[in-house]
Amino acid sequence: MATKAPTAPLEEQTRSPLRKRTSTRTLAVLGTLVLLLTAIALSLAVGSRSLSLDTVVHALLHDDGSTASSVVWDVRMPRTLAGVAAGAALGVAGALIQALTRNPLADPGLLGINAGAATGVVLSLTALGLTSMWASVWFAMAGAVVAGLLAYSLASGGRGGATPERLALGGAVIAAVFTGVSQTLMLLDAQALDQLRFWSVGSLARADSGTLTTIMPFVVAGLVLALALVRPLNALALGDDAARALGAHLDRTRFLGLLAVTLLCGAATSAVGPLVFVGLAVPHMARMIAGADQRWTLPLSMLLAPALLLYADVLGRVVVRPDELDAGVVTAVIGAPVFIALVRHRRVVTA
């Protein structure tokens, strides 16, 4: 009489797919890290004067004052680090906005933060006549913070608190108001309009060591705060009632999430301008790779977005050499069809 083969315990059967999924996600993170490191190497090597990787490595290890060392350390290193910082900030900010609003088409500009940053820059130019990068960064950060706080105040008023729908509507109102203010000021001051049009395209070319020193505390604080919210964000994705049953504090989570988005998006926008499609498309890519678990979506977005931004910047340096296309133009040109393809041919994983 044939005996029935013993089956594995139920716990072991359940654990096996989980281990496989975790291994796949870990490999995805490692692969994305390699992609980012390759983008950094290309950003340091490629430009109007291309350098070999050996020359770049030698310049990094021995700052001997040569032309190659000057190009790497004084020009391309600040530009590359600005791309990494701004890309990571925009990628995580986009993932946070989509999680907070439960809207897969949301991006960092939804809450009016980009418009607030632009208004801050315009005010620094028109009202105070400040043209330095340092002043632009601080005024843009101030405008972003004011816009974020106003959007949250509008959304949190009334019964129910700051629901996803109210956050989106409040942000749209604030964005419209700040956009109207900045456009009015630019029309009244031709010099401000001329200076702002270069910033509004979105570019890494203006970044220097002073820019990085100014924005990095905001970026680091925003990233730390965002990563600390992964568990309540996962609960929030189940709906407000389920999140409360799981012990999540909805108002606190939304306020801290909005604060993180304001810090991240404000710092990135103030340094490199409003770069489109980075914060919108990258979280979709991350969710397609790792699913909707924020413990994996946020780190993947943090790595994918700077890689995308640096590749766009490198492409902009070579397609019209010896001139350059701004990174904002390249991300718009290649980002739109890529995002349309993602939406049409793949299942959109909701936040």
Side-chain angles (χ1 to χ4, degrees), residues 237-273:
L238 302 175
D240 289 2
D241 293 337
R244 288 191 187 94
L246 292 172
H249 298 277
L250 301 187
D251 289 339
R252 184 174 67 186
T253 300
R254 286 173 179 142
F255 175 77
L256 293 177
L258 180 58
L259 177 60
V261 170
T262 301
L263 293 173
L264 293 170
C265 191
T269 304
S270 64
V272 300

Side-chain angles (χ1 to χ4, degrees), residues 137-155:
V137 169
W138 278 105
F139 273 86
M141 275 301 307
V145 170
V146 170
L149 290 176
L150 287 176
Y152 183 80
S153 298
L154 282 178

Side-chain angles (χ1 to χ4, degrees), residues 235-311:
L236 203 62
L238 302 175
D240 289 2
D241 293 337
R244 288 191 187 94
L246 292 172
H249 298 277
L250 301 187
D251 289 339
R252 184 174 67 186
T253 300
R254 286 173 179 142
F255 175 77
L256 293 177
L258 180 58
L259 177 60
V261 170
T262 301
L263 293 173
L264 293 170
C265 191
T269 304
S270 64
V272 300
L275 293 165
V276 297
F277 286 108
V278 177
L280 175 62
V282 166
H284 285 279
M285 299 177 188
R287 286 194 294 272
M288 287 178 180
I289 295 171
D293 189 343
Q294 298 297 333
R295 293 175 298 178
W296 295 94
T297 300
L298 290 183
L300 269 175
S301 298
M302 193 189 310
L303 297 174
L304 277 171
L308 171 65
L309 183 54
L310 288 179
Y311 281 121

Side-chain angles (χ1 to χ4, degrees), residues 44-345:
L44 293 175
V46 176
S48 57
R49 173 179 176 175
S50 294
L51 305 173
S52 66
L53 290 179
D54 290 340
T55 303
V56 172
V57 172
H58 183 272
L60 291 174
L61 297 178
H62 307 92
D63 187 6
D64 53 9
S66 63
T67 302
S69 294
S70 178
V71 169
V72 170
W73 282 105
D74 298 336
V75 179
R76 295 183 185 168
M77 182 62 75
R79 184 171 184 164
T80 301
L81 293 179
V84 173
L90 290 173
V92 173
L96 270 178
I97 281 293
Q98 292 174 11
L100 289 172
T101 61
R102 296 201 289 270
N103 181 0
L105 296 180
D107 71 345
L110 180 68
L111 297 183
I113 294 172
N114 285 351
T119 304
V121 174
V122 173
L123 284 173
S124 70
L125 291 172
T126 57
L128 301 176
L130 302 175
T131 59
S132 67
M133 185 66 185
W134 182 88
S136 296
V137 169
W138 278 105
F139 273 86
M141 275 301 307
V145 170
V146 170
L149 290 176
L150 287 176
Y152 183 80
S153 298
L154 282 178
S156 60
R159 298 176 60 185
T163 62
E165 295 80 8
R166 287 181 175 177
L167 279 174
L169 291 174
V173 171
I174 295 301
V177 171
F178 275 93
T179 300
V181 171
S182 60
Q183 289 180 348
T184 300
L185 291 173
M186 285 189 294
L187 290 175
L188 295 175
D189 191 326
Q191 182 181 3
L193 175 61
D194 187 59
Q195 294 187 30
L196 191 69
R197 64 190 177 94
F198 294 103
W199 175 85
S200 62
V201 172
S203 173
L204 303 180
R206 293 197 310 158
D208 55 22
S209 57
T211 304
L212 290 170
T213 303
T214 304
I215 70 169
M216 281 310 295
F218 300 104
V219 173
V220 172
L223 291 177
V224 171
L225 183 56
L227 293 175
L229 293 174
V230 290
R231 291 187 181 277
L233 286 174
N234 280 336
L236 203 62
L238 302 175
D240 289 2
D241 293 337
R244 288 191 187 94
L246 292 172
H249 298 277
L250 301 187
D251 289 339
R252 184 174 67 186
T253 300
R254 286 173 179 142
F255 175 77
L256 293 177
L258 180 58
L259 177 60
V261 170
T262 301
L263 293 173
L264 293 170
C265 191
T269 304
S270 64
V272 300
L275 293 165
V276 297
F277 286 108
V278 177
L280 175 62
V282 166
H284 285 279
M285 299 177 188
R287 286 194 294 272
M288 287 178 180
I289 295 171
D293 189 343
Q294 298 297 333
R295 293 175 298 178
W296 295 94
T297 300
L298 290 183
L300 269 175
S301 298
M302 193 189 310
L303 297 174
L304 277 171
L308 171 65
L309 183 54
L310 288 179
Y311 281 121
D313 187 48
V314 171
L315 183 61
R317 301 181 204 177
V318 299
V319 290
V320 291
R321 188 183 286 177
D323 295 324
E324 290 187 9
L325 279 178
D326 291 327
V329 175
V330 179
T331 56
V333 170
I334 67 176
V338 169
F339 183 70
I340 291 172
L342 287 173
V343 171
R344 292 192 55 163
H345 300 292

